[in-house]
Amino acid sequence: MKFPQFRVMNLFNIVLLVLALIQFYLLGPLNKWSEQPMKTLVESIDYSFKLIPGFIIPYYSIFLMLLLLMFLIIRKKEAGDMSVFLLAALMLWSLVNLGHGFFNTQVLVRPEIKSDGFFFEAVKSLYASVQPYNTLPNWHVATGLLCVIAYFKLGFGKKYAFLFWGILVIFSPLFVKMTHFIDVVVAAPLPFLCYALSEKIANVKIKTETIQEVTKVFTVESLVQSVAIGIRDESTLVSLIEGLERIEKNLSDEDRKEIEEATSKMNPNPGTLKDMINKLIKAIDVEAHLEKAREMSGSSDRNYSPSDKELKRAIEELVSTACMPFDDAKFRHVLLNLKKKNTEKMNLSAMEETAADRSKDIVYRFKSFIESHKKDMPIIKALSGNNGHHKLNFEDIKDMSRELRKPPYEISPDEIWNAFMRIDSARVKPLGDKKSPSNIISLTKFALGNSEILEPFADSVERKFRNWIEEEKTKNGKTYTEEETEWLKMMKDYVASFLEIEMLSFNQPPFVSKGGAARAYNIFGPDLNRIMYEFNEKLI
C-alpha cells in the first residue's frame, strides 16, 4: 500500500528515528539487575500490588502502541508532527538510559505462577521471559505515557479508548511484579518534560523559517545593494527577480518613463524593467549558460559540450550583463523609490480588498438573518408582507438589533450600513450623525428590495412629513403658525425615533419641558388626535 503522506518521513525525521532506535536498543543492555540495590522507604507499596500475570499482555502491547502511533502520524499528520514525537522519544530514552547507567537496580523478587488455573501457557511463558528487575526510571511507563500524550496532542479519534489502553500499559509493570513503585514515580514526569521541550524546539525552527521567508520577500533594498557590491549568487538573483516582478506588476506609465530616463545614458541600454528581469532569468538558466558558452567558444554545433572553464566564463558574462543596471546609483535610487511608493499602494489596495470582502460577508449575514427570521421576527414579517400598512413597534426594533449581535451573525446595524455603503455606494446615503435604532427599518427594506435607495430612517420620515404639510395646505387649506410648526417638528422627530406617538408621549422629552400634553392640546385642540393618527400612519 502506498501512502500519499509518506513524505512525513523526510531525511531529518529518518535521522531522528535512527538515533531514537539506537537509544531504544541500549535500553536492554542497561536494564540489568545489580547486586547492590538502592534501598527505599516504600517497599510496602510494591507488595500491596497484587500479582496479575495477565497484565503481561498489555505490557508487551507497548510495541504495538508505538507502531500504531507512527502509522497514524504518517497517514494523517505533517513532517513537523513526526519530528516532535521522534525528538521527544529520543530525549526520553536518552534520559532513561542515563538513569539506568547511574542508578542501581531496584530489586523486587517476583513470585512464581504456581497454578495454571485460568491463565494460558502462552501468558505464563511470556511472564517468565520478562526480567523481574528494572532500573530507575522505568522505560516502559515513560514510553507508554509519551504515546498517550502524543495521541492527545495530535488530536486523533477515540481518545478515551487509547487512554484506557495507555493506563493498562503504564500500570502493567507493577501488576506483573517486574518493577519497583519508585521507578514508576520517577518515570511519570519525564515524557511531559520531553514532549514540551520538543514542541519548543519545533516552534523555534518554524519561527526561524518564517523570518527567513519574510526577509526574502520584503528586503528588495538589501538585494539591490548586494548585487551592486558583487554578491550575485543564484539564490540572491532568484530573490531579486521575485522582488522586481512585484514592482513591475504595479508600475504606472509615469513610473516606466522615470525608469527609461534613469537608464537612457547607460551603454548598452538595458531597456524596460521587464527586459532587465528577463535578462536576470536568463542569467540563471542552464540552457542559456550552454548556449552562451557555445557562442563564446565560436562553435555552432549544438552537440558541442563546453568545458567547465568555458561554462564558468559564460555564466559570469550573462550575470554581469544582467546586473549591469544595478551598478548605477541613480537607477538604484529611482527603482527603490518606486518600490516604496508601490508598496504603499499595494498595502492600500490589499486593505481595500479586505474591507470589501468583509463588507460582502456582513451583507450576506444580514440577508441570511432576514431569510431565516421572516416568520418569527415581527419587523421582518411586517416589511415582507404586501398588506399595505404594517404596525411597527420600537421594542421589536430593539429585539432585532439584539438578535443580530448574537452568534452566528454578530453584526450591528451601523456595520451593515457601512457594508452596503462600500459595495453599493451609488444607492446608499451616508449615515452621518443620524444614527438611530430605527435605521434597522431602512436596512431591512433595502435588503428585501422594497426600496431603491438606502437612506437614514429620519430622512424618510422628514420627506413624508413635508408631503403631509403640503397636503394639509393644498387639500385641507390648513396652514400652521410658527409655534404649531415647532410642535409638529418635535412630534415628527419623536415618530422618527420611536415609530409612534400618543398622548402619553407628551410626558416625555422634549414635550414635557414645553408644557407637555396640556400645552399640545391647547395648541391643536381636538385636531391633535387626528394629527397623531396621521403621523403614525403616514410617516412610518
Side-chain angles (χ1 to χ4, degrees):
M1 181 183 291
K2 292 184 178 180
F3 302 124
Q5 288 283 335
F6 204 75
R7 62 181 180 276
V8 166
M9 294 306 297
N10 55 26
L11 182 61
F12 178 69
N13 285 342
I14 290 171
V15 171
L16 282 179
L17 180 60
V18 171
L19 293 174
L21 287 174
I22 292 171
Q23 290 299 325
F24 184 78
Y25 171 76
L26 293 175
L27 287 171
L30 288 172
N31 185 19
K32 297 295 184 183
W33 171 73
S34 169
E35 295 190 8
Q36 293 181 339
M38 294 173 61
K39 295 188 180 297
T40 69
L41 301 176
V42 290
E43 298 293 336
S44 59
I45 296 178
D46 298 281
Y47 289 100
S48 66
F49 289 99
K50 186 179 179 181
L51 172 65
I52 308 177
F55 264 83
I56 197 67
I57 296 173
Y59 177 83
Y60 271 113
S61 72
I62 185 70
F63 304 106
L64 179 60
M65 180 178 279
L66 280 167
L67 291 173
L68 174 64
L69 191 56
M70 293 275 290
F71 175 80
L72 289 174
I73 296 174
I74 289 172
R75 280 295 299 233
K76 299 183 179 181
K77 296 297 176 179
E78 300 297 328
D81 300 310
M82 179 62 85
S83 299
V84 170
F85 175 69
L86 290 175
L87 186 57
L90 174 60
M91 288 191 288
L92 179 65
W93 292 337
S94 300
L95 286 175
V96 170
N97 281 332
L98 190 66
H100 288 186
F102 282 95
F103 295 98
N104 293 331
T105 304
Q106 299 286 351
V107 176
L108 188 64
V109 178
R110 191 176 62 195
E112 297 179 8
I113 304 176
K114 295 181 179 178
S115 60
D116 295 333
F118 49 88
F119 292 109
F120 295 102
E121 287 298 322
V123 172
K124 186 175 179 180
S125 175
L126 283 172
Y127 170 76
S129 69
V130 179
Q131 286 196 29
Y133 309 105
N134 207 335
T135 45
L136 186 78
N138 184 282
W139 82 270
H140 193 100
V141 172
T143 304
L145 196 50
L146 178 68
C147 289
V148 172
I149 293 167
Y151 195 90
F152 271 71
K153 286 273 191 179
L154 295 173
F156 295 124
K158 298 183 180 178
K159 292 181 181 178
Y160 293 104
F162 196 88
L163 176 62
F164 178 71
W165 183 10
I167 291 171
L168 291 178
V169 168
I170 291 164
F171 283 100
S172 60
L174 290 171
F175 287 112
V176 294
K177 296 290 185 178
M178 53 81 56
T179 193
H180 196 283
F181 177 74
I182 197 70
D183 294 348
V184 176
V185 172
V186 174
L190 295 182
F192 290 97
L193 174 65
C194 291
Y195 203 91
L197 284 173
S198 183
E199 285 185 313
K200 285 283 185 185
I201 293 168
N203 284 339
V204 169
K205 182 175 182 291
I206 290 167
K207 286 178 182 177
T208 303
E209 288 174 351
T210 304
I211 291 167
Q212 289 172 345
E213 185 64 24
V214 169
T215 303
K216 176 182 173 184
V217 172
F218 292 105
T219 57
V220 175
E221 293 88 349
S222 62
L223 291 168
V224 168
Q225 298 300 337
S226 296
V227 169
I229 63 174
I231 301 173
R232 299 175 179 185
D233 57 277
E234 185 175 340
S235 177
T236 301
L237 295 183
V238 168
S239 298
L240 179 61
I241 290 166
E242 291 174 1
L244 294 177
E245 283 177 338
R246 284 194 295 274
I247 296 172
E248 204 278 333
K249 199 182 299 182
N250 293 281
L251 290 179
S252 64
D253 291 339
E254 185 181 337
D255 297 335
R256 297 181 200 282
K257 285 181 181 177
E258 198 171 343
I259 290 176
E260 187 179 343
E261 288 176 11
T263 59
S264 60
K265 294 182 180 180
M266 292 184 188
N267 188 22
N269 192 303
T272 64
L273 186 58
K274 187 68 176 176
D275 294 332
M276 297 179 214
I277 293 170
N278 288 334
K279 287 177 184 175
L280 286 169
I281 293 171
K282 189 175 181 181
I284 58 173
D285 181 64
V286 175
E287 288 297 324
H289 296 166
L290 292 170
E291 187 179 338
K292 185 67 177 177
R294 293 190 193 103
E295 179 188 323
M296 292 176 72
S297 66
S299 174
S300 58
D301 185 5
R302 291 196 60 82
N303 294 321
Y304 174 74
S305 181
S307 65
D308 291 343
K309 188 176 180 181
E310 289 173 331
L311 203 56
K312 185 180 178 183
R313 283 178 53 226
I315 293 171
E316 287 174 353
E317 177 70 21
L318 287 171
V319 170
S320 177
T321 303
C323 295
M324 181 268 294
F326 303 97
D327 294 332
D328 188 272
K330 181 181 177 182
F331 171 70
R332 294 199 302 271
H333 177 73
V334 169
L335 179 67
L336 295 179
N337 276 347
L338 290 176
K339 184 261 179 185
K340 183 179 178 181
K341 182 179 75 173
N342 287 328
T343 298
E344 292 171 358
K345 193 190 303 180
M346 287 161 62
N347 289 340
L348 286 172
S349 175
M351 288 171 62
E352 284 293 324
E353 189 176 337
T354 301
D357 289 342
R358 162 79 176 155
S359 297
K360 288 175 184 175
D361 179 59
I362 290 172
V363 169
Y364 174 78
R365 277 188 270 170
F366 181 53
K367 290 183 176 180
S368 298
F369 177 87
I370 290 173
E371 192 63 34
S372 301
H373 294 84
K374 275 187 175 180
K375 295 181 180 179
D376 57 27
M377 191 67 64
I379 295 292
I380 303 173
K381 192 175 179 181
L383 296 176
S384 298
N386 296 309
N387 345 347
H389 176 72
H390 305 285
K391 184 73 171 176
L392 300 177
N393 185 288
F394 187 68
E395 287 301 316
D396 292 334
I397 283 178
K398 292 196 291 185
D399 288 342
M400 183 170 171
S401 295
R402 276 195 296 268
E403 288 300 315
L404 277 168
R405 286 182 170 87
K406 294 178 182 178
Y409 304 101
E410 298 181 299
I411 47 179
S412 68
D414 289 350
E415 284 180 309
I416 300 166
W417 197 286
N418 291 334
F420 274 123
M421 170 70 78
R422 183 172 292 278
I423 64 178
D424 197 1
S425 58
R427 298 198 299 147
V428 181
K429 291 184 178 180
L431 196 55
D433 59 353
K434 296 175 183 177
K435 295 180 180 180
S436 166
S438 302
N439 285 330
I440 200 75
I441 296 173
S442 300
L443 287 167
T444 306
K445 284 182 177 179
F446 189 71
L448 287 168
N450 294 343
S451 58
E452 287 297 316
I453 300 294
L454 177 57
E455 60 181 354
F457 187 69
D459 287 1
S460 170
V461 172
E462 175 69 29
R463 188 177 65 256
K464 292 174 182 179
F465 173 71
R466 289 174 184 167
N467 291 339
W468 181 84
I469 291 287
E470 189 64 30
E471 282 183 12
E472 287 287 279
K473 188 175 182 180
T474 56
K475 292 183 180 179
N476 302 328
K478 182 75 174 175
T479 55
Y480 292 99
T481 65
E482 186 177 335
E483 185 180 20
E484 288 171 336
T485 301
E486 181 186 359
W487 273 79
L488 288 172
K489 287 181 178 179
M490 288 191 298
M491 292 166 64
K492 175 261 297 180
D493 291 339
Y494 190 89
V495 170
S497 296
F498 300 103
L499 307 183
E500 184 180 26
I501 189 166
E502 54 187 11
M503 287 304 296
L504 290 176
S505 304
F506 293 105
N507 295 327
Q508 305 292 327
F511 308 109
V512 68
S513 62
K514 296 181 179 292
R519 182 59 185 161
Y521 195 81
N522 286 338
I523 293 173
F524 296 105
D527 205 28
L528 180 61
N529 287 326
R530 177 189 69 86
I531 293 172
M532 287 192 296
Y533 174 79
E534 290 187 1
F535 271 30
N536 292 334
E537 289 290 315
K538 295 183 178 182
L539 300 192
I540 303 302

